[in-house]
Amino acid sequence: MLLAGKKALIMGVANKRSIAWGIAEAFRREGAELAFTYASERLRENVEELVKTLPDAERIPLLPCDVAQDAQVTELFRAVEERWGRLDVLVHSIAFAPREELTGAFRDTTRQGFQTALDVSAYSLVAVTRAAAPLFERAGGGSVMTLTYDAVERVVPSYNVMAIAKAALEAEVRYLAADLGPNNVRVNAISAGPIKTLAASAVKGISRLQKSVEDLAPLRRNVTQEEVGDVAVFLASPLSRCLTGATLYADCGFNVVGKGHEV
Ligand code: NAD
C-alpha cells in the first residue's frame, strides 16, 4: 500500500462524482488515513453520506471550510492539528465562478465575477498551503496537490474567467513549490481532462469537449475520476519524491495533439 500511515486532508468533495472523491477512494485503497472538508452546511449531508461508505467512517474527521473565509481556514487547520498533530498530504480540488461568467463573451467578465473566481479558485491554494505548513513541518515534509485544466494555454469557449484563475493557480504551484521545497513540501497540479461533475456542468459545452477528447486524444477516450485518483496517489506517495512545481496532464494525452489536426 503506497500511502500506509499517511494522513491526508481532502478538500473539494461535493458529491460522488467529485474528482476529490475519486482521489479519496484511491487514497483509501492505498492505506491513507483521511479527513474531509465541506464547503457549506448545504453540502455537509452529501459528504457525510459518502464518508459513511468508507471503512472506519466514525474515525474520519469531517470539518467545515469555506475557503473564502480566512477564519474558517484557520479553524480547519487548528482542528486538524488537534486531531492528528501533523499532516502529510493536502488535496485542493476547489473551484468556483458565478455561473453567468461561464457563458458568453470573455470581455463581459465582471470585476466581481473575476474577484470571486480568483479568490475561491486560486488564492485559496495559497491560504490553505500556508495554514498547513506547520503541520507538514511536524511530518518532516508534505505533498500538496491541486486540480487545473488546460484552458490556460489554449482558449476553451465558455471557460472564460476560470481559465484566468487556473493560470494564476498554476503559477502559484511553482511559487509555492519554490517557497516550501526547502522544508521538503512538494506542490504540484494535476491537469485533468473533462469529467462530468457539478463544477464542469457549469461550463457550457462539456459534452462537446468530451467528444473531442474521444475523437482526438492519443488514447481515444476520456479520463475517469478513478484514473485521476491514481495520479493523485503517485503525487502523494514517495514515488514522486523528486517532483515539485509540476503540472501533470491526466487527459489521455489530449494536450499534445495539434488542434485542428486529426492524428
Ligand atoms: P465538484 O463540483 O465536484 O468540485 C468542486 C468543489 O469546489 C466542490 O466540492 C465545492 O464544494 C468546492 N468549492 C466551491 N466553492 C468553495 C468554497 N468557497 N470553499 C470551499 N470549497 C468550495 O467538481 P470537480 O470537477 O470535481 O472540481 C474539482 C476541481 O477539479 C476544480 O478545481 C476543477 O476546476 C478541477 N477540474 C475539473 C475538471 C472537470 O472536467 N471536471 C477538469 C479539470 C480540472
Side-chain angles (χ1 to χ4, degrees):
M1 295 219 277
L2 286 167
L3 303 181
K6 299 260 187 222
K7 295 186 188 299
L9 176 63
I10 315 274
M11 304 186 74
V13 176
N15 56 41
K16 70 173 190 322
R17 288 175 186 271
S18 294
I19 291 176
W21 184 247
I23 293 175
E25 289 195 304
F27 278 14
R28 190 70 217 190
R29 184 192 72 218
E30 296 298 335
E33 204 176 324
L34 305 179
F36 293 87
T37 61
Y38 54 91
S40 64
E41 276 308 309
R42 197 173 53 78
L43 287 173
R44 181 193 185 124
E45 214 173 301
N46 278 0
V47 185
E48 230 164 35
E49 288 304 310
L50 283 171
V51 168
K52 273 190 199 150
T53 65
L54 297 174
D56 289 337
E58 64 290 345
R59 291 185 50 228
I60 298 177
L62 185 57
L63 305 158
C65 187
D66 172 350
V67 292
Q69 307 293 330
D70 283 335
Q72 291 195 25
V73 172
T74 305
E75 175 52 26
L76 167 66
F77 287 91
R78 194 205 55 74
V80 173
E81 178 172 23
E82 191 179 286
R83 202 62 182 254
W84 284 346
R86 63 165 229 263
L87 186 67
D88 301 293
V89 182
L90 175 60
V91 175
H92 172 281
S93 185
I94 289 172
F96 177 79
R99 196 169 270 263
E100 57 277 15
E101 302 290 349
L102 300 173
T103 182
F106 174 67
R107 64 178 175 275
D108 292 332
T109 302
T110 64
R111 190 182 297 272
Q112 186 56 48
F114 187 97
Q115 284 172 351
T116 302
L118 272 282
D119 184 29
V120 175
S121 317
Y123 178 73
S124 61
L125 180 70
V126 179
V128 298
T129 303
R130 180 175 58 240
L135 297 178
F136 288 138
E137 200 171 318
R138 295 230 198 88
S143 172
V144 180
M145 65 195 78
T146 187
L147 272 296
T148 185
Y149 180 58
D150 189 27
V152 173
E153 304 291 336
R154 282 163 263 270
V155 174
V156 174
S158 298
Y159 209 70
N160 291 358
V161 71
M162 191 52 81
I164 313 309
K166 293 302 190 193
L169 185 76
E170 290 181 19
E172 284 169 18
V173 164
R174 295 185 281 271
Y175 276 79
L176 287 168
D179 244 17
L180 291 162
N183 302 337
N184 195 30
V185 175
R186 301 183 292 110
V187 185
N188 293 291
I190 301 174
S191 185
I195 299 177
K196 277 199 174 132
T197 62
L198 195 64
S201 69
V203 183
K204 220 173 123 240
I206 170 99
S207 300
R208 216 181 51 213
L209 263 173
Q210 286 195 306
K211 176 78 173 68
S212 312
V213 175
E214 260 168 43
D215 290 345
L216 299 176
L219 297 179
R220 295 290 192 275
R221 61 180 179 82
N222 278 284
V223 68
T224 66
Q225 191 194 25
E226 291 73 23
E227 288 171 326
V228 177
D230 286 346
V231 174
V233 167
F234 166 67
L235 286 179
S237 83
L239 294 180
S240 61
R241 63 193 175 280
C242 69
L243 219 94
T244 194
T247 296
L248 300 188
Y249 287 86
D251 67 347
C252 297
F254 189 60
N255 72 95
V256 306
V257 176
K259 302 299 175 275
H261 302 284
E262 298 209 12
V263 283

